[in-house]
Amino acid sequence: MMLVEQTTVPGAALPVAEFKDHLRLGTGFADDGVQDGVLEAYLRAAMAAIEARTGKILVSRAFTWTLTAWRDLASQALPVAPVSAITSLTITDRLGVDELVDPSRYLLEQDMQRPKLVSTAICLPAIPVGGTVVIGFDAGFGAAWSDIPADLNHAVMLLAGHFYEHRHDTSTTEGAMPHGVDALIQRYRTVRLFGGGGAF
């Protein structure tokens, strides 16, 4: 399985000015924008960390997901949420020949935890031995920062601020999530049942 981000969050969509206010950085100076690139990098790092912990995509973008077999012949849970559209389904055989599957053969079952690609017939299209399927889809709460739920929005600010304040601290425990951030994102984390069989 391989998930690839096909588009990135544009810099204009990131709340750099709000992050400056959160950090209480001074304004009105000639060099106000000198740290914008650094602040943007911390916002992106915080977004990536929260998306990895929750499986929720914050700002909308396009993805492809490559599989070698279906988990279930009638449906396939997708690796992230929320998903707004399935944009393509391509079967590739072991010789590299592609087949673009007709969209009438599948549909998206939307869900905030485990959205699914679902067959409109009995089974999803067969994946040949040695072949793959590539699912193209769009995921995210929306294109604007204001589309992100308020608690996740605040979690990004807190975590980005934590990264900024500890940027020179090499003793910080690797992978540790500040308690306040962890509390804010807890309800968005996917509960895995039956040893992960219900995930993706």
Side-chain angles (χ1 to χ4, degrees):
M1 294 183 291
M2 182 171 61
L3 181 67
V4 178
E5 185 176 321
Q6 298 295 327
T7 57
T8 58
V9 178
L14 296 173
V16 174
E18 291 89 335
F19 188 35
K20 286 181 181 178
D21 291 341
H22 175 78
L23 295 173
R24 295 186 175 91
L25 296 181
T27 58
F29 300 99
D31 60 350
D32 272 358
V34 71
Q35 287 202 79
D36 286 3
V38 173
L39 299 180
E40 181 179 317
Y42 285 122
L43 283 168
R44 289 185 185 277
M47 284 179 57
I50 288 172
E51 288 180 346
R53 286 289 183 102
T54 62
K56 306 297 179 292
I57 302 302
L58 302 182
V59 178
S60 296
R61 48 204 193 272
F63 294 85
T64 56
W65 193 36
T66 303
L67 298 168
T68 56
W70 300 119
R71 175 62 65 93
D72 183 308
L73 292 179
S75 66
Q76 174 65 54
L78 298 170
V80 294
V83 173
S84 58
I86 303 291
T87 55
S88 65
L89 188 66
T90 305
I91 304 286
T92 304
D93 67 20
R94 62 186 179 84
L95 299 177
V97 178
D98 294 336
E99 176 197 353
L100 184 62
V101 179
D102 190 313
S104 66
R105 297 177 62 187
Y106 58 86
L107 54 83
L108 169 66
E109 183 180 293
Q110 293 185 321
D111 186 273
M112 189 54 69
Q113 292 295 336
R114 291 191 183 90
K116 292 180 180 180
L117 170 74
V118 179
S119 172
T120 54
I122 297 174
C123 297
L124 289 166
I127 303 173
V129 175
T132 60
V133 60
V134 179
I135 306 167
F137 62 91
D138 294 333
F141 288 102
W145 191 260
S146 58
D147 295 325
I148 301 172
D151 44 3
L152 289 179
N153 187 319
H154 189 52
V156 171
M157 290 290 183
L158 288 178
L159 186 56
H162 175 79
F163 288 159
Y164 180 83
E165 296 295 338
H166 294 86
R167 60 193 180 279
H168 302 303
D169 185 2
T170 58
S171 65
T172 303
T173 303
E174 185 177 353
M177 187 73 76
H179 176 71
V181 175
D182 202 47
L184 285 167
I185 68 175
Q186 188 61 39
R187 75 186 185 98
Y188 292 95
R189 299 181 72 169
T190 301
V191 177
R192 298 179 185 275
L193 302 174
F194 311 114
F200 53 86

